[in-house]
Amino acid sequence: MSEPAACESTGTREGVDHEPSTAPVPHPEGADEANTDSKNSPFGKAMIDMVNHQVLKEIAETQERMLARFEKTNEKLDSFNVVAAARLQVAVATFSRHTQLLLDAKRDLQSVFRRIRTLKARLTERYPEGFSAVQAGKAARLVRTHDDDDAEEEEGDEGADSNQDDGQGAPPVNPNAPIAF
C-alpha cells in the first residue's frame, strides 16, 4: 500500500478537507509509551491526521459550557436546599407548638368532662327523682325532635331555620343565670 503524501505547507494529507490543529490531542493516562510508538508509526500518523481538531475543540468548549451550567444549577439547588431546610425547621417548630396546644386542650377537655360526670353522679345520688325526670324529658324531646325531622324530610323542606332546636332539646344557656342544685 502506498501512503498519501503529506503537504509540507499545512502538515496534512492531500485530499483531506480539515484545518490544521494547534491544540494537543488528549491522551489517556498511562498510555504515553504506547502513544509515542503509535504516533511515530505510519498508521498512528494517519489516524491523528484523520481527526478533525476543530470539531474536538468545539466539543471541548461545549463540555466546558455544560460544566459551567451544571455548576450553576448545583449552586442553585444547594441554596434551595438551605432555604428549604430553614423553612422545614420553622414548620417543625410551629407544628410541635400546635401539637402541644392540641394535647393541652385535649387534657383540659378530659378534665372538664370528668368533672361533669362527677357532678352528674352527685346529682343522681342527691336528687334521683329530679334527675330521672330531667332525663325522661330530654328523651321525650329527643324523640319529638326526630319525629319532626322525619316529617320535614317528607315534606321536602330543605330551608330549615337556623334558630330551630339543634336536636339536643336543650334551650339556650344564659351564662349569668344562677345554678340551682
Side-chain angles (χ1 to χ4, degrees):
M1 258 196 220
S2 68
E3 292 191 27
C7 292
E8 294 186 22
S9 63
T10 61
T12 61
R13 292 183 305 146
E14 292 177 355
V16 177
D17 296 329
H18 62 81
E19 298 177 22
S21 172
T22 58
V25 177
H27 300 292
E29 291 183 28
D32 290 336
E33 294 175 13
N35 285 337
T36 307
D37 293 337
S38 62
K39 283 183 187 177
N40 295 333
S41 71
F43 178 74
K45 287 181 182 178
M47 291 301 292
I48 290 173
D49 288 342
M50 289 175 53
V51 173
N52 187 344
H53 296 286
Q54 182 64 30
V55 171
L56 287 178
K57 185 177 179 182
E58 290 174 4
I59 290 172
E61 289 172 356
T62 303
Q63 287 177 343
E64 288 175 7
R65 283 194 309 269
M66 293 302 293
L67 177 63
R69 288 171 75 187
F70 287 140
E71 287 173 348
K72 184 184 268 188
T73 302
N74 198 21
E75 289 175 13
K76 288 180 182 179
L77 288 173
D78 287 342
S79 66
F80 174 80
N81 284 338
V82 168
V83 170
R87 288 187 180 178
L88 176 65
Q89 189 175 12
V90 170
V92 165
T94 303
F95 182 75
S96 297
R97 283 194 315 269
H98 290 175
T99 302
Q100 188 61 43
L101 178 68
L102 287 174
L103 291 173
D104 291 343
K106 179 183 177 186
R107 189 173 46 247
D108 292 344
L109 286 173
Q110 286 174 339
S111 172
V112 167
F113 286 127
R114 186 175 53 247
R115 290 178 184 177
I116 290 173
R117 282 191 300 272
T118 304
L119 288 173
K120 199 174 187 182
R122 286 183 189 167
L123 287 174
T124 303
E125 288 175 13
R126 267 194 195 163
Y127 309 104
E129 302 88 27
F131 191 79
S132 61
V134 169
Q135 291 296 335
K138 267 189 175 178
R141 274 189 262 157
L142 190 61
V143 168
R144 197 173 344 119
T145 302
H146 286 288
D147 289 342
D148 292 343
D149 290 343
D150 292 339
E152 286 179 6
E153 287 178 7
E154 289 175 5
E155 293 174 6
D157 184 20
E158 295 178 17
D161 188 11
S162 62
N163 293 331
Q164 285 183 349
D165 193 12
D166 62 357
Q168 299 297 322
V173 178
N174 181 1
N176 299 326
I179 300 175
F181 284 87

